[in-house]
Amino acid sequence: MNIVKAVSVIIGTIIGAGFASGKEIYIFFGQYGKFGIIGAIVSATLTGVIIYSTIAITKRLQIKSNNEFLEKISNSSKVKIILENVINAFLLVSFWIMCAGFCTFFKQEFKIPIIITASINAIITYFLLMKNMDGIIKLNLIVVPIMVVIIIAISIKNYPIINLINNLNTNTQNLGKSILSAILYTSYNSITLIPIIVLLTTNIKNKRENKIITLVSAAIFFVLIIAIYQMLTLSAVNISKIEIPVLTILDECHPVEKMVYSIAIITAILTSAISSGYGVAENIKDRRKYKTITFAMCLAEIPIAYIGFGKLVEILYPLFGVIGIIQIITILKKVNSIAKNAKNWYKLYRKNEGRNSKNET
C-alpha cells in the first residue's frame, strides 16, 4: 500500500461521523476557547507519536496482527486481556453512538420521531452486518476524502481564519482542561486507530515512509480539527446544546453546501456504525451465535438512541479516553525498551569491532 492510501485509511479511521458532526470537536476543543487551539496541537502531536511508535514496534518485532501486537507490548496476559476487552467494548459503544447519530440527524433536520428512525436503522444495520465488509470499506474510502475536502472548503469559504484569534476568549483556567481534554480525545481514538495501523504496516517499507505517513497524517488531522473548530467558533449560532452542530451552522451557508455535507455525514454515520459493529461481531468466538448476538446488538440500539447522540459522546468517549491511556503508555514503554536494546546492541557491536581490530594488528 502506498503512502497516500495509508494516510487516507488513517485519517478515515480518525475522522468518523462524530468528528464530522462537530460534536466531538466542540466537546474536546471548541468549548475551551483560544486554548482549544493548543489542545489541537497536543492532540495532533500525540497522534503522530502513536502512529510512528506503532509502525516502529510492528516493523521491528515483525508483528502480523493486532492480537500479536497486544501480546508484544503488554508482556502480561492480564494487561492483554484488559486491552482486548476495552477494544471490543469501545467498538460496541461506537456502534450504538453512530446509530444514535443516525436517529439524531433525522430528528434534528426533519423532525422524524426516534422510534421510527431507530427501528429502520436497526433493520438496515442488521442486514448489512450479514453481508461482506468489502463494499462498506470501498464506500468509506470514497466518502472520507470527499468529507475532508468539503470540511476544509466550507470552513475557508465561509469562516476566514484571520477572524479566528480575535473572537476567542482568554480564560486561563481553560489551559489545563484543554490539554487534558486533548489527551483523552487522542486516547480513545487510538483504541481503534492502532489495530488499523498494525494491518497497514506490512506494506510500509522503511523509516522514511513511516516518517512521511506520520507527519502528513498528523498535519491533515490538525488542519481538519482547526477547520471545524473555526466553523464552531466564528458562527453566530449557539451550538452548545445542539446534537449535530455543523448541520445547524450550515444553515448560514449555501443550501447546496448543506445538502452535500448532509449526504456525506449520513453516509459516514452508517459506514462508521457498520465498521464498528462488524468489529464486534467478528470477535464472537462461537459462530453459531453470530446471528443471535448481532440481532440483539441491533435491537438494543433502539432504546439507547433515546439517550441522545451528544450525551453518549460527552459521557462515554472521555471514559474510554481514560482507559485508552493504558494502551498508549504500554506502547511508549515498548518503544523506549526497543530503543534501549538497539543502543546497547550498537555499543556491543562497536566494542567487538574494536577488539577485532586490535587482534588483527
Side-chain angles (χ1 to χ4, degrees):
M1 182 177 289
N2 58 36
I3 292 171
V4 174
K5 285 186 178 179
V7 171
S8 298
V9 172
I10 288 170
I11 294 299
T13 304
I14 296 172
I15 62 158
F19 184 104
S21 72
K23 193 64 180 180
E24 285 184 17
I25 302 304
Y26 175 75
I27 290 171
F28 292 95
F29 303 99
Q31 66 174 316
Y32 299 112
K34 185 177 295 186
F35 296 109
I37 297 176
I38 295 176
I41 295 170
V42 170
S43 183
T45 302
L46 184 54
T47 297
V49 170
I50 292 168
I51 293 169
Y52 186 86
S53 299
T54 302
I55 294 172
I57 292 170
T58 305
K59 292 295 287 183
R60 176 74 177 178
L61 302 179
Q62 298 182 327
I63 294 169
K64 303 299 181 184
S65 67
N66 187 57
N67 189 52
E68 187 181 351
F69 181 82
L70 293 177
E71 287 179 356
K72 296 289 185 182
I73 66 169
S74 62
N75 296 322
S76 165
S77 58
K78 289 183 179 179
V79 173
K80 177 179 174 290
I81 291 169
I82 290 171
L83 292 176
E84 284 179 342
N85 289 332
V86 166
I87 291 170
N88 289 333
F90 183 75
L91 288 171
L92 181 59
V93 165
S94 295
F95 170 76
W96 284 329
I97 289 176
M98 290 304 104
C99 292
F102 181 91
C103 300
T104 298
F105 173 88
F106 286 100
K107 183 183 179 183
Q108 180 174 311
E109 295 302 306
F110 305 105
K111 311 302 180 187
I112 299 175
I114 287 177
I115 186 63
I116 295 175
T117 51
S119 300
I120 292 171
N121 192 55
I123 295 169
I124 292 172
T125 51
Y126 176 75
F127 282 105
L128 287 176
L129 286 172
M130 294 296 109
K131 303 292 183 181
N132 191 287
M133 271 293 290
D134 291 344
I136 296 295
I137 292 170
K138 289 177 182 177
L139 181 60
N140 217 17
L141 287 174
I142 295 171
V143 170
V144 169
I146 291 173
M147 188 173 287
V148 168
V149 172
I150 292 171
I151 289 170
I152 296 174
I154 291 176
S155 181
I156 292 172
K157 177 179 176 290
N158 297 287
Y159 305 97
I161 197 166
I162 195 170
N163 299 328
L164 183 61
I165 300 299
N166 294 331
N167 285 272
L168 299 176
N169 68 62
T170 54
N171 184 356
T172 54
Q173 292 181 347
N174 284 341
L175 177 58
K177 292 179 181 178
S178 69
I179 293 174
L180 176 60
S181 183
I183 293 171
L184 291 176
Y185 178 73
T186 309
S187 177
Y188 81 71
N189 270 307
S190 73
I191 293 174
T192 50
L193 179 61
I194 289 168
I196 295 296
I197 296 172
V198 171
L199 295 176
L200 290 174
T201 302
T202 54
N203 297 298
I204 297 172
K205 296 176 182 177
N206 48 47
K207 286 184 179 180
R208 179 178 170 276
E209 286 195 359
N210 186 359
K211 288 178 182 178
I212 293 172
I213 290 167
T214 297
L215 290 173
V216 173
S217 298
I220 292 174
F221 180 46
F222 175 74
V223 169
L224 288 171
I225 291 176
I226 294 301
I228 292 185
Y229 173 84
Q230 73 182 49
M231 288 170 65
L232 298 175
T233 304
L234 298 180
S235 171
V237 178
N238 181 6
I239 46 85
S240 60
K241 302 297 182 182
I242 299 173
E243 299 273 8
I244 305 180
V246 170
L247 288 181
T248 302
I249 289 170
L250 289 179
D251 287 332
E252 302 173 340
C253 304
H254 195 281
V256 173
E257 292 176 336
K258 180 168 183 176
M259 181 185 71
V260 172
Y261 198 90
S262 296
I263 294 170
I265 197 170
I266 198 64
T267 307
I269 286 173
L270 274 174
T271 55
S272 296
I274 298 306
S275 297
S276 298
Y278 193 80
V280 176
E282 279 298 289
N283 290 321
I284 298 172
K285 293 180 180 179
D286 189 347
R287 305 309 293 174
R288 293 172 297 179
K289 296 181 180 179
Y290 183 91
K291 287 186 178 181
T292 304
I293 294 175
T294 303
F295 178 79
M297 186 171 71
C298 293
L299 189 64
E301 76 178 67
I302 298 174
I304 290 172
Y306 280 93
I307 299 173
F309 174 70
K311 286 183 180 179
L312 288 169
V313 169
E314 192 169 359
I315 296 169
L316 295 177
Y317 277 171
L319 174 62
F320 277 95
V322 173
I323 300 171
I325 289 174
I326 298 171
Q327 187 169 223
I328 294 175
I329 291 172
T330 55
I331 287 172
L332 296 180
K333 284 174 68 177
K334 192 65 179 181
V335 166
N336 185 51
S337 174
I338 289 173
K340 283 183 178 179
N341 290 337
K343 189 175 181 180
N344 292 335
W345 179 88
Y346 181 73
K347 284 181 179 179
L348 183 62
Y349 170 78
R350 295 288 294 176
K351 188 176 181 180
N352 289 334
E353 283 290 299
R355 286 176 181 174
N356 292 335
S357 298
K358 287 181 180 179
N359 290 337
E360 286 175 3
T361 56

